[in-house]
Amino acid sequence: MKSGFITKGIVLTMTAMLISSLVWAQQDKASRPSQPQTATGKVDGATITINYSSPSVKGRKIFGDLVPFDKVWRAGANEATIFETDKAIKIDGKSLPAGKYSLYAQPGESEWTFFFNSEVGQWGIKRTGDTTKDTAKDVLSVKAKPAKSASMTEKLVYEVTPKGFVLRWENTEVPVSIK
């Protein structure tokens, strides 16, 4: 009889801990300044989904300052940005199999490099400020040309278009062609 009460007590305590941790995790994401966002669309029959956290400019200079040139960036905030395709696609003439990838970027003044990395689910940066990108797990890297956007974009946004995807933030947009 006594062991039945103890077992029920342990089960109830563990259930309460699990529920409170799930509630805390949901509140944590909802209260973040850089809210989780999703961009999705079709490119040549493939469904592309990009899950990212969207930071704001807040009066700061972004590219070349907050996000340094020639240094790998998590392409968003919080967790590493996730790029998913349900079919094999070609980016800049290079094949990317169907699957889920962490998307990283290395901004440059006149050219960017995007990295599709097989490791997913990690936080985007280490305590040192460097990204969590493991070069050995890069599946594909492609070059893209940044351009000055027509208008200022306060919050980082990805858009999936019939031709690929575009990253827009501050006064910059970077299109990436997909076939």
Side-chain angles (χ1 to χ4, degrees), residues 67-159:
V67 177
F69 288 135
D70 305 319
K71 185 176 178 186
V72 176
W73 169 54
R74 59 185 156 179
N78 305 325
E79 297 87 358
T81 296
I82 301 296
F83 180 96
E84 186 173 4
T85 177
D86 68 342
K87 294 183 180 173
I89 56 176
K90 285 200 181 265
I91 305 175
D92 197 25
K94 300 174 185 176
S95 295
L96 183 68
K100 201 180 263 194
Y101 303 91
S102 287
L103 180 66
Y104 294 92
Q106 183 173 320
E109 288 187 65
S110 61
E111 185 174 73
W112 285 38
T113 304
F114 284 91
F115 302 93
F116 297 81
N117 189 282
S118 64
E119 184 176 18
V120 295
Q122 69 278 18
W123 193 254
I125 59 171
K126 301 174 188 172
R127 289 178 187 248
T128 61
D130 295 326
T131 65
T132 53
K133 183 175 99 59
D134 179 350
T135 304
K137 295 180 181 176
D138 285 348
V139 175
L140 177 70
S141 65
V142 296
K143 303 288 185 184
K145 297 286 184 192
K148 184 166 175 50
S149 53
S151 61
M152 204 287 228
T153 305
E154 175 64 27
K155 294 181 83 50
L156 170 70
V157 66
Y158 284 91
E159 179 185 4

Side-chain angles (χ1 to χ4, degrees), residues 11-32:
V11 169
L12 285 172
T13 301
M14 292 184 74
T15 302
M17 289 172 58
L18 176 63
I19 290 170
S20 66
S21 68
L22 290 172
V23 168
W24 180 80
Q26 291 301 320
Q27 286 175 339
D28 180 48
K29 281 190 176 187
S31 65
R32 292 179 180 178

